Amino acid sequence: DTAVSQTPKYLVTQMGNDKSIKCEQNLGHDTMYWYKQDSKKFLKIMFSYNNKELIINETVPNRFSPKSPDKAHLNLHINSLELGDSAVYFCASSQTTGGLSEAFFGQGTRLTVV
Amino acid sequence: QKEVEQDPGPLSVPEGAIVSLNCTYSNSAFQYFMWYRQYSRKGPELLMYTYSSGNKEDGRFTAQVDKSSKYISLFIRDSQPSDSATYLCAMSRTNTGNQFYFGTGTSLTVIP
């Protein structure tokens, strides 16, 4: 039973398009994240949501907009895609109430912008 | 200066060797320390998780945290070809930031 699942796994799209990536966690965690992993494998946080509220919004273009309909879901919408957006995007979740616990990651969405 | 520094490698060792992976960090507020293993084209999976200083052992893996030196290590004993992966250290504070800071990862290859 997958703990953190992302769809799609692969996404190839043209510059200028708008796309969404979905994430769901069934761990009952209260915090969800989006990370971007570049070609050098560096994982950088983009957003963090705690109980559907935005907690962290790192310096990312406002073309990226996260949406959390409930605490088990955190979707990422990207407008006007650019070549530099090509990367692997990871969703993660953790339980922070009562102390910070480790993050569990999804399998990633490999986005290629052509 | 990055919050977390990690030598990217690549590191190549023969099967059975002891592997030492390390990270240094600059923020003394970090309290939680994690090691993740990432196989090619997969998501990071949690390997070890420690709170504050000290050692933690799990099978062939030992995690060490030295907060006074701001230095953490992961040791792999009797390394196996299946250990070949990228190893990422991560750490976080206890405040409301809820943010995990990752190292750049060390690529490890264990040669049969």
Side-chain angles (χ1 to χ4, degrees):
Chain A
D1 207 12
T2 306
V4 182
S5 59
Q6 295 176 230
T7 54
K9 284 183 76 172
Y10 299 95
L11 187 52
V12 181
T13 188
Q14 289 186 323
M15 277 175 55
N17 283 351
D18 303 339
K19 290 292 177 187
S20 291
I21 307 172
K22 295 185 176 182
C23 179
E24 176 182 4
Q25 55 97 2
N26 63 7
L27 297 165
H29 287 166
D30 59 7
T31 303
M32 295 184 72
Y33 312 82
W34 277 108
Y35 280 85
K36 180 180 180 180
Q37 189 171 47
D38 60 25
S39 57
K40 294 183 180 176
K41 293 279 192 177
F42 182 58
L43 264 170
K44 185 170 168 54
I45 192 164
M46 300 173 72
F47 302 102
S48 167
Y49 266 75
N50 179 267
N51 282 319
K52 293 169 51 181
E53 286 189 31
L54 182 65
I55 301 297
I56 292 171
N57 182 358
E58 289 293 307
T59 307
V60 298
N62 57 14
R63 299 181 293 106
F64 290 80
S65 54
K67 283 190 172 46
S68 182
D70 55 61
K71 73 174 195 177
H73 295 84
L74 181 63
N75 303 324
L76 183 65
H77 189 75
I78 316 170
N79 289 328
S80 303
L81 278 155
E82 298 176 359
L83 292 177
D85 297 333
S86 297
V88 182
Y89 292 84
F90 285 100
C91 176
S93 73
S94 72
Q95 180 62 30
T96 58
T97 304
L100 191 63
S101 73
E102 64 273 29
F104 291 83
F105 284 80
Q107 291 296 292
T109 296
R110 187 170 294 271
L111 172 65
T112 304
V113 183
V114 296
Chain B
Q1 185 187 6
K2 281 184 184 170
E3 297 266 12
V4 181
E5 299 277 358
Q6 184 176 7
D7 186 341
L11 188 59
S12 187
V13 302
E15 184 174 354
I18 296 174
V19 176
S20 171
L21 304 166
N22 311 295
C23 286
T24 58
Y25 61 96
S26 56
N27 191 336
S28 57
F30 287 142
Q31 296 274 11
Y32 298 86
F33 304 92
M34 290 140 278
W35 285 97
Y36 285 84
R37 178 175 60 197
Q38 187 176 19
Y39 291 115
S40 181
R41 294 184 174 263
K42 297 286 187 185
E45 56 176 330
L46 183 69
L47 206 55
M48 300 283 283
Y49 173 68
T50 53
Y51 170 70
S52 196
S53 281
N55 294 358
K56 186 172 184 178
E57 193 173 315
D58 184 2
R60 296 184 295 110
F61 298 89
T62 300
Q64 285 185 355
V65 175
D66 182 350
K67 289 190 70 182
S68 61
S69 303
K70 298 192 182 69
Y71 187 88
I72 70 170
S73 300
L74 178 71
F75 297 96
I76 308 174
R77 289 184 300 281
D78 187 25
S79 55
Q80 304 294 308
S82 59
D83 295 329
S84 298
T86 296
Y87 290 80
L88 301 127
C89 64
M91 43 200 81
S92 58
R93 303 184 293 256
T94 57
N95 63 13
T96 57
N98 295 346
Q99 184 171 349
F100 295 87
Y101 294 84
F102 281 85
T104 49
T106 300
S107 175
L108 171 68
T109 301
V110 180
I111 303 165

